[in-house]
Amino acid sequence: MIETKDSGINRIGEIPKHWKFISVQYLSKIYNGNSISDEEKDNYTVERNIPYIATKDVSLDYCVANYENGLFVPENSKFRIAPAGSTLLCIEGGSAGRKKAYLTRNVAFVNKLCAFVPKDVNGKFLFYAICSPIFKLQFDRQLTGIIGGVSPNTIKKFKIPVPPIDEQKAISDFLDKECGKIDEIISGVKNQIEILKEYKKSLITETVTKGLNPTAEMKDSGINRIGEIPKHWKISKLKYVSKINEKILSESTPPDYKFRYVDISSIKSMVGIESYKEMTFDVAPSRARRLVSVGDTIISTVRTYLRAIAFIDESANIVVSTGFSVHTPLEVIYPKYLYYVCISDFFIAIVNEYSTGVSYPAISDNLLGRISVPVPPLDEQKAISDFLDDKCKKIDELIEQKQKQLETLAEYKKSVIYEYVTGKKRVEEC
């Protein structure tokens, strides 16, 4: 039985008596990187040089870096280098404290990332310590600013429990194996989620273009992206089955007028509105102006957010961003069928094709109205909508279950790391 001592930190409790509690500044060299402006990026594409890592190139789940993002810098240049065996940590923005990677090769990196170059410590053990709740607790306490971040100078003072070097290696080797097993399971679950999402997309597209009767006589729709449709169906432009809802809040709206606001971030792709932002007119952003009604379908007009499409199924004072095109169904189309047509792959592909612009390609209401869509008889539209409501609900429930599995696995991985980097469990006891 190993003797223990009080760590001095409530969340950690006791650690093995022969371990030490050391500030990371004594275990590693700590510094952030340099940014590359968009104008400069074309100058850094020679693959034989050192990879340049941005925050987006660091995996949130697997703690690895993408070395093949297309940006490379010369070895002897202005850029700070983190050598193989170091750890990168995001220290600013939405991913601060969450994105981290153990490096297997030398890299240059952006200023929102911080490098930990090991000195008198096993590099992989240091990485696992940075991945542990011990480190995150200290990081979260020091987050400051509107964007949210922690400076390298502050991080230098963070403390971690440190065993002798031979134990560090034994612990890191053990965690490599155990975390590798967990990551394999996580990868499998994520793959299952992607399969379910793809199935849902294909099911919607197939059903709104082919119907529910597999023996129905077919005809050519005249549109390549749609192919054949049932013979008794029609093809109509969107502007003939829906009208643009142009109702907006006027600037004379009372400042205390309350509403629920929907912008791009409120919508979950292929699911719909996930959250509302309660606000009053006096504090609302200038884009919070477009009024909607029950049964409307809202479509993001910016290509970057193509899948931001939602069905309005509530009536209580909902206002959406002017970045949406709002479509009110006419009598010839069932409201929910219109929504399913608009989230189908063929419709998205046409929107993508029609979008114009350089920085933020977008589509106008006029061009949206020219898109041709299949229109079955109303009773079939309702039957299709009911069928897809039921099927999509079941698929979404399965996806949610899988997402919960991922959360459970992530928490389990954290607990395994925590137990071994604090000495709560010993490698020799396994």
Side-chain angles (χ1 to χ4, degrees):
M1 190 75 176
I2 295 292
E3 283 189 76
T4 60
K5 63 182 178 183
D6 184 16
S7 68
I9 299 177
N10 290 335
R11 294 284 188 95
I12 297 176
E14 295 193 334
I15 61 173
K17 192 173 183 179
H18 64 291
W19 287 29
K20 297 179 181 179
F21 228 79
I22 305 175
S23 296
V24 290
Q25 63 184 323
Y26 301 120
L27 300 169
S28 60
K29 188 178 178 183
I30 301 169
Y31 51 93
N32 55 0
N34 319 78
S35 292
I36 297 179
S37 67
D38 289 338
E39 293 76 19
E40 290 181 289
K41 286 180 179 177
D42 287 343
N43 300 327
Y44 299 107
T45 58
V46 181
E47 292 188 26
R48 66 175 178 270
N49 289 329
I50 296 171
Y52 177 88
I53 305 298
T55 306
K56 67 179 178 59
D57 302 313
V58 179
S59 163
L60 192 61
D61 296 315
Y62 302 108
C63 299
V64 294
N66 172 25
Y67 304 111
E68 307 299 331
N69 66 2
L71 285 177
F72 305 88
V73 303
E75 189 166 356
N76 298 312
S77 63
K78 64 179 181 179
F79 295 98
R80 297 189 185 115
I81 304 299
S86 304
T87 293
L88 286 184
L89 173 72
C90 177
I91 61 171
E92 184 183 328
S95 298
R98 299 171 63 217
K99 285 193 170 189
K100 53 194 78 77
Y102 179 77
L103 299 175
T104 57
R105 58 189 293 186
N106 296 355
V107 303
F109 55 103
V110 72
N111 64 341
K112 290 184 180 181
L113 296 175
C114 181
F116 296 76
V117 183
K119 295 191 290 190
D120 298 320
V121 67
N122 179 283
K124 205 59 177 294
F125 178 84
L126 177 62
F127 164 73
Y128 282 120
I130 291 169
C131 290
S132 74
I134 306 165
F135 191 91
K136 190 173 189 307
L137 177 66
Q138 297 174 81
F139 189 95
D140 289 348
R141 282 177 175 170
Q142 297 298 327
L143 275 170
T144 58
I146 297 173
I147 296 175
V150 182
S151 72
N153 282 335
T154 299
I155 293 170
K156 287 176 182 179
K157 300 172 186 175
F158 294 177
K159 290 185 175 182
I160 60 172
V162 183
I165 196 73
D166 57 339
E167 283 189 65
Q168 293 175 31
K169 186 176 188 313
I171 290 168
S172 60
D173 288 347
F174 173 80
L175 288 176
D176 278 349
K177 292 177 184 177
E178 290 303 302
C179 292
K181 293 174 187 175
I182 298 169
D183 286 343
E184 280 186 21
I185 299 171
I186 288 173
S187 179
V189 175
K190 288 175 75 72
N191 187 51
Q192 292 168 22
I193 290 172
E194 289 308 309
I195 290 171
L196 285 167
K197 287 180 177 178
E198 287 304 314
Y199 171 63
K200 180 180 175 180
K201 287 198 289 185
S202 64
L203 177 69
I204 290 170
T205 301
E206 181 74 12
T207 308
V208 299
T209 58
K210 306 294 182 263
L212 298 172
N213 181 5
T215 63
E217 190 177 351
M218 309 295 282
K219 68 178 179 183
D220 183 16
S221 68
I223 301 166
N224 289 336
R225 293 191 182 279
I226 296 177
E228 291 190 329
I229 60 172
K231 191 174 182 180
H232 62 291
W233 287 22
K234 297 177 181 178
I235 290 289
S236 179
K237 293 188 184 301
L238 189 63
K239 64 183 178 181
Y240 298 132
V241 298
S242 68
K243 66 175 181 179
I244 301 297
N245 181 344
E246 295 181 328
K247 293 184 291 184
I248 61 170
L249 290 174
S250 72
E251 293 307 314
S252 61
T253 300
D256 61 348
Y257 175 74
K258 293 182 180 179
F259 58 87
R260 290 186 293 168
Y261 178 51
V262 174
D263 62 9
I264 300 297
S265 64
S266 308
I267 296 177
K268 187 175 181 180
S269 175
M270 298 296 292
V271 175
I273 298 171
E274 193 172 39
S275 61
Y276 295 93
K277 299 171 184 176
E278 304 275 350
M279 60 181 64
T280 52
F281 185 77
D282 58 336
V283 296
S286 60
R287 293 173 67 82
R289 292 294 183 270
R290 202 170 291 283
L291 292 162
V292 294
S293 304
V294 173
D296 286 350
T297 289
I298 60 174
I299 304 169
S300 169
T301 56
V302 179
R303 192 167 71 191
T304 311
Y305 309 105
L306 273 184
R307 294 281 179 183
I309 299 170
F311 180 73
I312 305 298
D313 57 5
E314 298 182 51
S315 59
N317 288 9
I318 297 174
V319 174
V320 304
S321 166
T322 52
F324 290 106
S325 179
V326 181
H327 292 257
T328 300
L330 300 176
E331 292 182 358
V332 293
I333 198 160
Y334 189 71
K336 202 62 180 290
Y337 175 78
L338 173 64
Y339 163 71
Y340 281 121
V341 166
C342 290
I343 62 171
S344 67
D345 280 348
F346 89 81
F347 189 88
I348 296 294
I350 295 172
V351 171
N352 182 57
E353 186 180 313
Y354 281 11
S355 297
T356 58
V358 180
S359 298
Y360 290 95
I363 188 169
S364 65
D365 285 338
N366 183 44
L367 283 175
L368 272 172
R370 294 184 196 176
I371 297 177
S372 295
V373 299
V375 184
L378 272 170
D379 58 341
E380 280 191 65
Q381 293 179 35
K382 185 179 185 310
I384 287 170
S385 301
D386 291 345
F387 170 81
L388 288 175
D389 280 348
D390 179 62
K391 290 290 185 182
C392 291
K393 181 182 177 183
K394 289 175 180 174
I395 295 169
D396 289 340
E397 286 172 351
L398 280 173
I399 290 173
E400 187 176 352
Q401 290 173 19
K402 300 291 181 186
Q403 293 286 7
K404 287 179 179 177
Q405 286 181 35
L406 289 178
E407 292 169 11
T408 301
L409 286 163
E411 287 304 313
Y412 174 62
K413 182 177 176 180
K414 287 177 189 175
S415 70
V416 170
I417 292 172
Y418 170 78
E419 287 171 339
Y420 285 92
V421 299
T422 58
K424 298 288 186 293
K425 284 189 177 180
R426 310 277 293 168
V427 171
E428 61 265 25
E429 292 173 3
C430 300

